[in-house]
Amino acid sequence: MIDRNDELKELAIKEINEHRNTVEKDHFRSVFHLMPPVGLLNDPNGFIHWKGVYHVFFQWMPFKTDHGAKFWGHYTSTDLVNWELQPIALAPGDWYDKNGCYSGSAVVYEDKMYLFYTGNVKDEEGNRETYQCVAVSEDGIHFEKKGVVLHLPEGYTPHFRDPKVWQHLGKWYMVIGTQNLNEEGRVVLFESANLMDWTFKGDVTASGEEAIGDLGFMWECPDLFELDGKDILLFSPQGIEPEGYLYQNIYQTGYVSGELDYVSGKMSHGGFTELDRGFEFYAPQTTLDENGRRLVIGWMGVPEQAEGHHPTIAHKWIHILTVPRELHYEDERLIQRPAVELEAMRHTEMTKEANLSNELKQWSELNGTVYELLVQLEEIKGTFSVNLRNNASLTYDSTKALLTFKRKSFVDGREETRSCLINSVKELRFYVDSSSVEVFVNGGEEVFTSRFFPEESNESLVFEAVGDSKFQVTRWLLN
Ligand code: FRU
């Protein structure tokens, strides 16, 4: 009898082959970001560095550009720049994952790689069931499913998913994102000695006086890790209302920092801070690499946020991942910097300087669609803007201490904005890749991550000062 998993994998490969040319012809496809070979990509999963190889798995729907019964696709790299698509790691072919091998993580134990993921199941009436499952590999490429290791505990709805596993002082820990019976988002902690038998420890975040407040009805994709002497709980809550410049996307991603008491399983922590200021950033996952760095990679998309309007759908694919970034905790906040390896993509460096007074400046030799742009600002009096391809722009208004990213909506062409307050802007580092832009502000103090879909023929790059701005730009082409 043919195994259902193998059957599904074959169908997915057929889909890749059938639509390869359609995907490749899209001028919006990424050059240096991970994207699906066909279909829909969402969360990064199983991010790990093992025997010198980085593994990034991803939520993948090969058969359409919409969500559904997810597979785990798989990319590997030795340098975080050149990625190779590997055989499909997981297909939703078993009773416990038949409606999707949902998000999860990877660890290495006794020289084997273990993938922990959520088996998503819908019964005949459409009711959700959830199972936390394991698959094991000796080579990091071929995975054998071992089935269910953890069932839904009492007190939570079946919105219970996305296991992130790590080791601490010889024991294993797992956080899971969930919703309690009052329909409030929560993260729960489990403990294990052997990765197979798990003990429930309870809600991680504080309750009572230290309560985190109302942070929506469901928390997805939790990650808990130690960084620069702090414990950080990163997660993606759903259902927070917009508040001033905050929480503008339909769903958010952010963190609390403090200290996890591994005995009680409770974390003492401060308030919630959003991790990114742009339009598309969700479900990031971190790993501690073999060089001791805490790296993070995110999904450059947000569930249910105008997904059906992405123009790449016409070319049979949708969504990309962010570039890998290095995380630090400095001055009570998370700092994100592009992984230093990305510098290896640079070529054709060009530098310009300007002192602008109420004027626009364009050096046509800097025009392009795929590049890294470093803008070092000596002075901004009034507003300073960088405009990309007449479709997206970043503006700092020094009179309001307000930094704003604008783009033409890909839904209706109207201008839409995301902003944050920041006392001064000294440095802006843009990674531009066909239809995406990531801007690292002042060495990663703030980051704006967004897709944008400009006219193919427009490659302009325009600087503008209202008032006076003095700056230097360095541009590298990337490949
Ligand atoms: C987050 C998420 C996860 C889930 C996965 C399914 O984007 O909803 O909670 O495991 O996507 O693809």
Side-chain angles (χ1 to χ4, degrees), residues 356-393:
L356 303 185
S357 265
N358 296 313
E359 60 191 308
L360 296 170
K361 179 76 197 170
Q362 180 171 10
W363 294 278
S364 58
E365 59 272 38
L366 295 190
N367 288 0
T369 59
V370 181
Y371 54 84
E372 176 186 345
L373 177 76
L374 174 66
V375 184
Q376 286 161 301
L377 288 137
E378 218 166 284
E379 178 174 63
I380 303 178
K381 273 197 206 141
T383 68
F384 170 76
S385 307
V386 181
N387 186 304
L388 310 174
R389 305 181 66 185
N390 194 29
N391 187 280
S393 66

Side-chain angles (χ1 to χ4, degrees), residues 4 15 18 32 71 101 147 167 214 237 267 351 407 456:
R4 178 71 185 142
E15 204 72 11
E18 199 169 315
F32 62 91
F71 291 61
C101 297
Q167 201 173 26
D214 179 17
M267 189 170 171
T351 302
R407 74 173 176 196
E456 185 174 8

Side-chain angles (χ1 to χ4, degrees), residues 40 42-43 45 59-60 67-68 70 101-104 118 120 161-162 218-221 236 238 282-283 299 302-303:
L40 177 143
N42 56 304
D43 315 349
N45 294 152
Q59 285 289 286
W60 183 37
H67 296 271
K70 300 288 167 62
C101 297
Y102 273 12
S103 284
T118 299
N120 182 49
R161 53 180 172 264
D162 312 335
M218 170 65 192
W219 297 354
E220 295 190 315
C221 299
S236 295
Q238 302 190 319
Y282 197 74
W299 172 28
V302 178

Side-chain angles (χ1 to χ4, degrees), residues 396-411:
Y396 186 62
D397 183 340
S398 66
T399 64
K400 297 187 185 135
L402 190 64
L403 186 58
T404 301
F405 181 83
K406 290 190 198 121
R407 74 173 176 196
K408 282 185 188 158
S409 156
F410 52 80
V411 177

